[in-house]
Amino acid sequence: MRRPAKNYGERLSTVLFSSTVMVSLLAAGHAAQAASPHGRHHGKVAKTAAAAPTPVAAKRAIVRAPLPQNEDIAISARRRAHGTMITVGASAIARSVPGTNPLKVLAQQPGVMFQSDDPQGVDTWSTQIYMHGFLQNQISTTLDDIPLGELAYRNYNGLNPIQAISSENVGRLDVSTGAGAESVASTNNLGGSIEYHSSDPKNRMGGTVAQTFGSNALYHTFIRLDSGTLNHTGTKFYVSYMRNDTDKWKGGGDQFFQQVNAKFVQPIGDDSRISSFFDFSQYEQFNYQDYSLDIWKNGGNYIDNYYNGKPSGYIAAIQAALGHYPASFDGIGDKADAAYYDSTSATTDYFGGLTGDFRLTDSVRWKTTFYGHGEQQYNHWTNPFSPSPSGAPMFEEVKEPSIRRFGILSSVQYEVARNHIEGGVWYENNQFVSTMFGYSQPNVVDGVIQGTPVNPIGSPNQAPFMQLYGQTTNTNTFTAFVQDTYNPLPNVALHFGFKSLLNTSRAGDGYLNTNFYGPGASATGTLTTARAFLPHISGDWHFLTHHELYFDVAENVHAYPQGQFKTVASPFAVTQAAFNYARPTLKPESDWAYAVGYRYSDHFLDATLHAYHTDFSNRLQQITSGNIVNPISTVLNVGDITMNGVDAGLTMRLFRGVSLYNSISYNHSTYDSNVSSQGVTYYTKGSQVVAYPRLMYKSSLSYAYRGFDAHIDASYMSQRNLSYTGDAKVPSYWLADFGMRYRFGTMGKYAHSLGFVQNVELDFNIYNLTNQFYVSTMGENGFPLSGDYQSFLLGAPRQFFGSVRAEF
């Protein structure tokens, strides 16, 4: 496919409770639930002793029956899992603008923050999620149990979830906002886990077509074809195509994304199956320019790179490299870094897995998955501080990393007496090749471009004139886990498990261009993270019909990350000398996480209170200064961090069809010691961690009547630290969104000849209702120890979206 020219248990012993249900996501459901004899959520039964199954029977039910995929958002204490689990269903995701990142829907929950510089949350340079003070690369992500690696822009061992599955094909997200479950295939679940589950093919043959139009020439198209059951054994599959194309809201260039998903399911008997999932994604985007406080204050909201698709943009970039800047830059202190010619990302991924899920006996279940993934990236930016061989005062830097990985996961579940026992292993081999090259740009003479500029996105259209950096890192990961959930009483669950981890990475084939970077060599060597016993203990008690108490305690470790030179907080992303100096004292990031909570849920009210404490040791951070195209970058252990926080949420169903939700989150995460760098002591002790607000407030009001529903959501983020000492901060902000939808249902009731057209919907959404300019993503280029730095992005202004969707 070529781009055109334009430019995731049922209630166990009645354990599953909905709580802190996001009202804006339940607007349509409330009216239907009021008429249901079973209560307020489909699939749930009244909590009576007579209705409660025996513990073993209930545990079998949780294995056999997945959570209904049309669940919106529920908070539950799963007896097979741990502590608090939030489930975000497909219908909740569907109420957002089509193509919206599911993590943005998750962020409506207390203690979760999602940021992006685009309204859909699909710009991978800027997408960023925090949960209770933990950044995304400290939170594990999986799809159908397959690990997706570090959730970050410069991923070295996986891919961003939006590049793994179209949002329309997500059946549900299972999210732990505390320590991640020991069963999750991950080396980085310090702060929780996000488990994506793809939807299954439908039993009836048909299709779905959806089209969205929006501000900045947005076109989002989704087409899915379901085979239906093809034979008496239940064989079925689907294939889908998604395309998302939009201009940037400022500056030149566009952001294009296309994706193919396919899933095949072959049932075997009553309760076993073989399934496979495949994903192809092609991602090409022009990035927004990074901001500093100086640029924002003195340059305004619309500073961006010079690229505009025309010769004038290139000539303006040449002039800037020569020191001649636009008049709009007059008040900016660092004019050279305020804009470059271009900054782009292009990624192509092939990803898939094959799973066998077999019930061997009434008490034993075996599940095994094989998977593979290949990725090629091209990340461009123009360096205006070094010339090209052509004489042009700038050249194109292009990172060309690639990933090749394969792995296997296998687990066995055994149910006996009041115990649900599970054990499993995971192995993965990953080869990460990180290279960077320099490409010559043509000069400009008498206002005429002397040649063809480097293709600004994807593979360059010429050979490089120099190599800047190169390194190959090979990583082998092995984990094993054992866990048991014991039910001494139908309303009590006690869980104990542990995880063992062995992760070894060897960086070799190192190359560093000393003419460009100065004397030194790129880091080569081996780092091993080994932990034989990472325990996890939790408990859950439904002590009254509507009341629940829980606790959760776990230890976790984050294996040493790999990364490209000067780009991430990795021991390998430095020179050999820096690596050798740091290696004897290096320790992997680790933590002990504690949580307690209370929930109340009835027909009219949901309330939740969640408190947590985390002791975080050996946090590795990237410290940066200098210009962002070739920063002075070091990786430091900034010491221990103590996190304390509390979330409170309340949902009130005021009367039929009208609901009000409010939540508040307070987080006190501070560094335990000061940091010394190059003989200077920085007083970071007691300072709030960078980029995460101390206070968040979220509210939503929704209304539903028959086929119509509407909602208005608002959120508040307090100020956040840009520097480790906290002397540089970004301001607080309020943000509001609005959405409404009308469901026509089957068109046959309007015209008999249109009976084949079903579930027709029209949607209208407004993002950033009050047109607020605010700081979204932070730290994409690292954080300074003190003072200002060019490492945040602005959120998009007000945007409008209209969508139509139909099934056939």
Side-chain angles (χ1 to χ4, degrees):
M1 269 172 236
R2 293 186 60 85
R3 178 185 180 188
K6 187 197 184 289
N7 321 31
Y8 197 139
E10 245 177 53
R11 170 180 295 179
L12 174 57
S13 298
T14 68
V15 175
L16 183 60
F17 278 70
S18 286
S19 180
T20 317
V21 182
M22 288 303 299
V23 178
S24 64
L25 307 175
L26 290 173
H30 293 321
Q33 291 155 10
S36 170
H38 297 299
R40 60 182 182 78
H41 217 303
H42 36 257
K44 297 189 177 178
V45 298
K47 286 187 283 183
T48 64
T54 65
V56 172
K59 286 183 295 228
R60 290 175 183 171
I62 198 171
V63 175
R64 295 171 185 234
L67 187 73
Q69 291 187 353
N70 59 350
E71 289 277 1
D72 291 323
I73 288 186
I75 296 181
S76 61
R78 294 192 188 163
R79 301 196 175 184
R80 283 189 55 218
H82 67 289
T84 298
M85 186 75 74
I86 299 172
T87 293
V88 179
S91 59
I93 298 169
R95 290 189 179 101
S96 299
V97 175
T100 293
N101 192 324
L103 297 180
K104 186 175 181 179
V105 180
L106 171 64
Q108 297 181 52
Q109 289 297 298
V112 182
M113 181 184 72
F114 177 85
Q115 298 288 0
S116 179
D117 60 12
D118 73 295
Q120 291 175 289
V122 297
D123 184 339
T124 57
W125 172 240
S126 71
T127 55
Q128 189 177 78
I129 189 166
Y130 279 79
M131 297 198 310
H132 292 159
F134 286 96
L135 181 56
Q136 56 197 20
N137 67 329
Q138 298 157 343
I139 301 166
S140 65
T141 54
T142 62
L143 172 59
D144 294 341
D145 300 330
I146 301 173
L148 299 179
E150 304 263 344
L151 206 172
Y153 172 70
R154 296 184 177 100
N155 193 314
Y156 65 89
N157 65 348
L159 70 165
N160 194 297
I162 64 168
Q163 294 168 267
I165 184 171
S166 299
S167 61
E168 292 91 341
N169 292 328
V170 175
R172 73 179 191 278
L173 304 183
D174 289 340
V175 183
S176 165
T177 59
E182 58 266 43
S183 58
V184 175
S186 167
T187 61
N188 66 315
N189 55 347
L190 289 174
S193 59
I194 303 173
E195 300 174 67
Y196 283 70
H197 299 269
S198 62
S199 60
D200 278 348
K202 298 177 181 178
N203 291 326
R204 295 184 61 182
M205 183 174 66
T208 302
V209 177
Q211 181 65 55
T212 300
F213 305 93
S215 299
N216 303 300
L218 169 72
Y219 294 92
H220 177 87
T221 304
F222 178 76
I223 301 170
R224 170 167 155 166
L225 300 177
D226 284 82
S227 69
T229 55
L230 298 174
N231 50 49
H232 72 281
T233 66
T235 305
K236 55 185 178 180
F237 68 88
Y238 69 74
V239 178
S240 71
Y241 172 75
M242 184 280 295
R243 171 193 170 104
N244 199 88
D245 198 359
T246 181
D247 291 337
K248 294 168 60 181
W249 59 267
K250 66 174 179 179
D254 64 349
Q255 296 188 326
F256 172 82
F257 185 22
Q258 65 178 351
Q259 190 169 47
V260 175
N261 288 166
K263 187 172 183 178
F264 169 87
V265 174
Q266 175 59 66
I268 301 175
D270 295 332
D271 194 24
S272 298
R273 72 181 203 170
I274 295 173
S275 62
S276 63
F277 180 84
F278 171 78
D279 165 73
F280 162 79
S281 68
Q282 184 181 38
Y283 197 99
E284 298 178 353
Q285 65 178 24
F286 283 81
N287 301 318
Y288 293 93
Q289 176 63 305
D290 305 291
Y291 263 60
S292 65
L293 293 171
D294 168 49
I295 295 173
W296 193 20
K297 177 182 178 180
N298 298 307
N301 300 312
Y302 288 91
I303 295 290
D304 204 56
N305 291 318
Y306 297 106
Y307 177 86
N308 62 4
K310 302 175 183 178
S312 60
Y314 186 84
I315 294 172
I318 290 285
Q319 289 298 308
L322 293 170
H324 310 303
Y325 303 101
S328 58
F329 285 24
D330 285 350
I332 298 174
D334 183 6
K335 299 178 179 61
D337 287 302
Y340 307 128
Y341 172 57
D342 61 26
S343 174
T344 66
S345 304
T347 306
T348 300
D349 287 276
Y350 297 88
F351 169 80
L354 176 67
T355 299
D357 188 0
F358 308 103
R359 178 163 289 283
L360 304 181
T361 71
D362 286 344
S363 299
V364 179
R365 190 175 199 94
W366 174 44
K367 186 176 183 180
T368 297
T369 299
F370 299 90
Y371 65 90
H373 170 220
E375 179 180 273
Q376 179 64 58
Q377 299 181 35
Y378 294 95
N379 303 318
H380 290 238
W381 64 91
T382 308
N383 187 332
F385 304 104
S386 299
S388 290
S390 66
M394 63 185 192
F395 77 99
E396 196 80 354
E397 288 190 44
V398 185
K399 284 186 176 292
E400 303 179 17
S402 64
I403 296 172
R404 298 292 181 271
R405 66 187 182 113
F406 66 88
I408 180 174
L409 309 100
S410 189
S411 64
V412 175
Q413 302 167 5
Y414 175 56
E415 298 177 28
V416 57
R418 298 174 183 269
N419 296 274
H420 180 94
I421 302 170
E422 185 175 3
V425 295
W426 166 46
Y427 170 77
E428 179 181 278
N429 174 262
N430 174 49
Q431 179 179 273
F432 173 59
V433 179
S434 175
T435 56
M436 182 163 63
F437 296 92
Y439 292 84
S440 180
Q441 290 281 26
N443 204 0
V444 173
V445 178
D446 296 329
V448 178
I449 304 174
Q450 305 297 298
T452 302
V454 176
N455 178 27
I457 198 163
S459 178
N461 53 351
Q462 58 178 267
F465 72 91
M466 68 172 172
Q467 182 175 0
L468 295 165
Y469 175 76
Q471 189 178 67
T472 298
T473 306
N474 192 280
T475 302
N476 287 284
T477 301
F478 177 84
T479 69
F481 75 93
V482 176
Q483 61 185 16
D484 177 29
T485 300
Y486 173 61
N487 302 114
L489 296 171
N491 63 333
V492 176
L494 298 175
H495 174 93
F496 174 76
F498 73 91
K499 177 180 182 177
S500 299
L501 180 147
L502 178 62
N503 175 275
T504 301
S505 295
R506 174 170 176 75
D509 301 330
Y511 172 79
L512 192 69
N513 190 321
T514 57
N515 292 325
F516 184 78
Y517 288 114
S522 63
T524 62
T526 300
L527 289 175
T528 297
T529 305
R531 294 295 175 90
F533 186 73
L534 295 168
H536 184 197
I537 305 170
S538 63
D540 183 85
W541 178 33
H542 289 259
F543 59 99
L544 291 173
T545 301
H546 301 291
H547 303 262
E548 176 188 1
L549 290 171
Y550 63 86
F551 75 90
D552 191 276
V553 180
E555 182 187 17
N556 271 298
V557 68
H558 183 186
Y560 293 112
Q562 296 90 63
Q564 302 159 40
F565 190 57
K566 293 190 177 186
T567 60
V568 294
S570 166
F572 292 113
V574 296
T575 63
Q576 186 70 55
F579 177 83
N580 292 342
Y581 177 80
R583 186 176 181 180
T585 59
L586 280 176
K587 295 180 181 180
E589 296 179 328
S590 62
D591 70 357
W592 276 95
Y594 311 83
V596 295
Y598 164 79
R599 286 187 289 266
Y600 176 88
S601 180
D602 64 16
H603 191 77
F604 304 102
L605 183 70
D606 292 320
T608 182
L609 184 65
H610 177 88
Y612 58 92
H613 169 84
T614 302
D615 294 318
F616 189 171
S617 302
N618 305 306
R619 185 159 183 170
L620 294 177
Q621 297 278 238
Q622 181 189 8
I623 313 298
T624 53
S625 60
N627 69 74
I628 60 176
V629 296
N630 185 19
I632 300 170
S633 181
T634 59
V635 176
L636 293 180
N637 182 337
V638 297
D640 299 346
I641 293 173
T642 300
M643 298 185 185
N644 293 290
V646 61
D647 301 331
L650 179 66
T651 296
M652 296 180 292
R653 285 166 286 283
L654 302 177
F655 49 89
R656 185 168 180 172
V658 177
S659 297
L660 177 65
Y661 164 82
N662 285 277
S663 76
I664 190 165
S665 302
Y666 176 79
N667 176 278
H668 188 268
S669 298
T670 59
Y671 302 105
D672 291 350
S673 58
N674 297 321
V675 174
S676 294
S677 178
Q678 297 180 343
V680 178
T681 297
Y682 295 88
Y683 295 96
T684 57
K685 182 177 181 179
S687 179
Q688 179 79 359
V689 297
V690 292
Y692 191 72
R694 187 155 287 184
L695 182 66
M696 290 189 289
Y697 170 76
K698 300 170 187 178
S699 181
S700 180
L701 177 66
S702 70
Y703 172 74
Y705 179 74
R706 295 184 178 179
F708 174 79
D709 63 76
H711 62 89
I712 185 166
D713 309 321
S715 61
Y716 168 79
M717 303 288 166
S718 67
Q719 63 183 3
R720 292 166 283 164
N721 284 347
L722 177 61
S723 67
Y724 289 96
T725 61
D727 61 343
K729 303 176 185 291
V730 302
S732 60
Y733 68 89
W734 281 91
L735 196 65
D737 300 326
F738 170 79
M740 62 181 182
R741 173 176 59 174
Y742 189 80
R743 295 180 293 274
F744 292 90
T746 301
M747 298 304 291
K749 62 186 178 184
Y750 304 103
H752 183 72
S753 60
L754 297 177
F756 68 97
V757 184
Q758 303 173 6
N759 299 327
V760 176
E761 295 181 4
L762 291 178
D763 297 76
F764 176 71
N765 291 269
I766 304 176
Y767 166 82
N768 194 354
L769 195 61
T770 60
N771 201 31
Q772 174 80 36
F773 281 98
Y774 65 99
V775 173
S776 58
T777 311
M778 296 177 66
E780 67 276 13
N781 295 310
F783 297 95
L785 283 167
S786 178
D788 192 10
Y789 191 61
Q790 191 175 353
S791 192
F792 64 80
L793 295 159
L794 298 185
R798 184 165 48 228
Q799 308 276 281
F800 300 89
F801 304 92
S803 307
V804 58
R805 179 183 182 275
E807 296 180 2
F808 301 91

